[in-house]
Amino acid sequence: MEEKEISQAVIGRLPRYFRYLGELKDEGVERISSQELSELMKVTASQIRQDFNNFGGFGQQGYGYNVEHLYKEIGRILGLDVIHNFIIIGAGNLGQALGNYLNFERRGFIFRGMFDINPQLVGRDVRGVKVMPMEEMERFVRENDIDIAVLTIPKTSAVEVAERLAANGIRAIWNFAHVDLNVPEGIQVESVHLSDSLMKLSYNISRYKKEKENS
Amino acid sequence: MEEKEISQAVIGRLPRYFRYLGELKDEGVERISSQELSELMKVTASQIRQDFNNFGGFGQQGYGYNVEHLYKEIGRILGLDVIHNFIIIGAGNLGQALGNYLNFERRGFIFRGMFDINPQLVGRDVRGVKVMPMEEMERFVRENDIDIAVLTIPKTSAVEVAERLAANGIRAIWNFAHVDLNVPEGIQVESVHLSDSLMKLSYNISRYKKEKENS
């Protein structure tokens, strides 16, 4: 199956399909048409068919898609059929929240290590994982087949830490620091800029107020 | 100034402009051309000009934009010149992390209340805010001019809580529950689906591995 040159916009929509299909599967639904999926997800049926055509269409035959097959296929495309070991850099509230999030484990993301610069946090236990000092990060990444590093540290240190991770073979960075990271080619970065999301919300509140005042 | 019918894609890029301009301002930079901004932000200069033209272009004259003026204008468009009171529903790790995040305050988002269904968390202090029981949520929203509710609760309760908030005059929901919310028109929703973001990362790791194997 050809999986090249698929836009990040399409990729960005796959987890949502995966989520809805998982729920349908749990509810015992066996088949679903693109029309029904369209109504459920509030996207057009043609968008769904276009998205799925990027992956060969997933063999819609007669009445709709086989839910379990589609769920498994999308999971496989998303790389959820393999184990990804991850570490968290920054043992503050957000780091601990992510470390404690069991759903990641269900998707094959395994929490292996946690690091912090603050000696008072070193040694603390987060769901069976002990917080280690930053000096041990590089060795740990090299020796424990770590794919993903989650950065929940201030932006002032994020750039330097990302460079150290890149130099030691990390494959991907999930970045919560409020800064854009430039890493060598081949290292994947996905940023969650929480303030940006909040500002977008603020914009939409303001716009709606203005529209209401003007109408 | 005409601000209607601006796409959410453009709006989604404004916070990033705001962030870069804030950094330039803090560094004492007074003027910047779209070309320089383009190199810094790694987007095309034509994209920047197109985005800014949605808001009248921000008066680029002679050599580039006035950084402070542009920063203030974008902040105003984003609604950051007004105070937004917010509450957090769900006093777990993620809720506490968001409550403790001081940067929101700097942008005019003021943390006013926190609620949880768990009696053991009620009464706990998160940065000067006491966790209240869920039964007090509606009254609190009505009496304290609350604009935004942050949902850091499981998806099973998020839909019901969103309905209760909507019925009591909330303007916006910042949703961290792993479910899409359907709220009445006029209520803004911005979802942060953390698992979706992690799956996108996983996809890109897999794709890169395959590309490398095939090359």
Side-chain angles (χ1 to χ4, degrees):
Chain A
M1 196 187 296
E2 185 61 68
E3 284 182 20
K4 273 182 193 168
E5 301 203 49
I6 292 162
S7 80
Q8 288 294 307
V10 175
I11 303 314
R13 287 193 289 270
L14 285 186
R16 189 160 177 260
Y17 289 120
F18 186 73
R19 174 152 50 90
Y20 275 87
L21 289 162
E23 282 169 14
L24 288 166
K25 191 175 69 75
D26 290 347
E27 288 163 14
V29 178
E30 288 182 10
R31 298 192 76 81
I32 191 163
S33 67
S34 52
Q35 191 56 47
E36 288 167 322
L37 197 55
S38 152
E39 281 159 27
L40 193 65
M41 295 183 64
K42 299 186 198 311
V43 293
T44 65
S46 100
Q47 165 95 79
I48 293 175
R49 284 189 297 265
Q50 266 180 43
D51 283 349
F52 289 2
N53 278 339
N54 282 294
F55 306 97
F58 298 121
Q60 185 182 22
Q61 284 163 345
Y63 175 67
Y65 302 98
N66 177 312
V67 169
E68 177 141 18
H69 173 73
L70 191 50
Y71 175 79
K72 275 195 188 157
E73 276 296 293
I74 293 181
R76 192 191 56 75
I77 290 167
L78 285 169
L80 304 180
D81 54 340
V82 287
I83 294 292
H84 291 108
N85 293 320
F86 74 91
I87 56 172
I88 299 175
I89 323 294
N93 282 300
L94 181 57
Q96 291 190 33
L98 296 171
N100 277 306
Y101 199 58
L102 290 167
N103 269 346
F104 297 153
E105 217 100 321
R106 280 179 46 217
R107 303 278 180 247
F109 300 97
I110 314 294
F111 177 36
R112 293 290 185 200
M114 193 163 204
F115 299 86
D116 204 284
I117 202 168
N118 181 352
Q120 294 194 304
L121 292 175
V122 169
R124 187 175 289 198
D125 186 288
V126 177
R127 201 153 60 82
V129 168
K130 287 259 183 303
V131 178
M132 293 170 267
M134 286 300 289
E135 301 80 58
E136 295 182 21
M137 181 183 75
E138 279 100 332
R139 185 194 49 77
F140 192 90
V141 167
R142 287 195 307 270
E143 294 179 359
N144 292 278
D145 191 25
I146 303 301
D147 286 322
I148 303 173
V150 184
L151 299 194
T152 54
I153 49 179
K155 66 175 177 178
T156 42
S157 46
V159 173
E160 184 233 324
V161 168
E163 279 167 11
R164 286 165 58 187
L165 289 163
N168 285 276
I170 205 80
R171 289 204 179 86
I173 293 175
W174 199 21
N175 173 39
F176 287 79
H178 204 48
V179 63
D180 297 330
L181 299 176
N182 295 313
V183 293
E185 219 209 293
I187 297 177
Q188 316 301 324
V189 176
E190 185 70 23
S191 290
V192 180
H193 292 316
L194 292 174
S195 294
D196 288 13
S197 162
L198 191 52
M199 288 185 212
K200 206 176 159 193
L201 202 54
S202 155
Y203 170 86
N204 283 321
I205 296 172
S206 300
R207 189 187 52 169
Y208 182 74
K209 268 189 203 167
K210 276 179 207 154
E211 277 173 16
K212 240 176 113 182
E213 284 161 11
N214 295 338
S215 68
Chain B
M1 195 188 295
E2 186 59 70
E3 284 183 20
K4 275 181 191 167
E5 303 204 49
I6 293 162
S7 79
Q8 289 291 310
V10 174
I11 303 314
R13 286 192 289 269
L14 286 185
R16 190 159 177 261
Y17 289 120
F18 185 74
R19 174 154 48 93
Y20 275 87
L21 289 162
E23 281 170 14
L24 288 166
K25 190 174 72 71
D26 291 347
E27 287 163 14
V29 177
E30 289 180 10
R31 299 193 77 81
I32 191 162
S33 66
S34 52
Q35 191 55 49
E36 288 167 322
L37 196 54
S38 149
E39 281 161 24
L40 193 64
M41 295 183 63
K42 300 186 200 308
V43 292
T44 66
S46 100
Q47 164 96 80
I48 293 175
R49 284 189 298 264
Q50 267 180 43
D51 284 349
F52 289 1
N53 278 338
N54 283 294
F55 307 96
F58 299 120
Q60 186 182 24
Q61 285 163 344
Y63 176 66
Y65 302 98
N66 177 313
V67 169
E68 178 141 19
H69 173 72
L70 191 50
Y71 175 78
K72 276 194 188 155
E73 276 296 294
I74 294 181
R76 193 190 57 74
I77 290 166
L78 286 169
L80 304 180
D81 54 340
V82 287
I83 294 291
H84 291 108
N85 293 319
F86 73 92
I87 57 172
I88 299 175
I89 323 294
N93 283 300
L94 182 57
Q96 291 191 33
L98 295 172
N100 277 307
Y101 198 57
L102 290 166
N103 270 345
F104 296 154
E105 217 99 322
R106 280 179 46 217
R107 302 278 179 248
F109 301 97
I110 315 294
F111 177 37
R112 294 290 186 200
M114 195 164 202
F115 299 86
D116 204 283
I117 202 169
N118 181 351
Q120 294 196 302
L121 292 174
V122 170
R124 188 176 287 200
D125 186 289
V126 178
R127 204 154 59 81
V129 168
K130 286 260 185 302
V131 178
M132 292 169 268
M134 285 301 289
E135 301 81 56
E136 295 182 22
M137 181 183 75
E138 279 101 330
R139 185 193 52 76
F140 192 89
V141 166
R142 288 194 308 269
E143 293 179 1
N144 292 279
D145 192 26
I146 303 300
D147 288 321
I148 303 173
V150 185
L151 299 193
T152 53
I153 50 181
K155 66 175 178 179
T156 43
S157 47
V159 173
E160 183 233 326
V161 168
E163 279 168 10
R164 286 165 59 187
L165 290 162
N168 284 277
I170 206 79
R171 290 204 180 85
I173 293 175
W174 199 23
N175 173 41
F176 288 80
H178 204 48
V179 63
D180 296 331
L181 299 176
N182 296 313
V183 292
E185 218 210 295
I187 297 178
Q188 316 302 322
V189 176
E190 185 70 24
S191 290
V192 180
H193 291 317
L194 293 174
S195 294
D196 288 14
S197 161
L198 191 52
M199 287 185 211
K200 206 175 159 194
L201 202 56
S202 155
Y203 170 86
N204 284 321
I205 296 173
S206 300
R207 188 186 55 168
Y208 183 75
K209 267 189 205 166
K210 277 178 206 154
E211 275 173 16
K212 241 176 113 182
E213 284 163 10
N214 296 338
S215 67

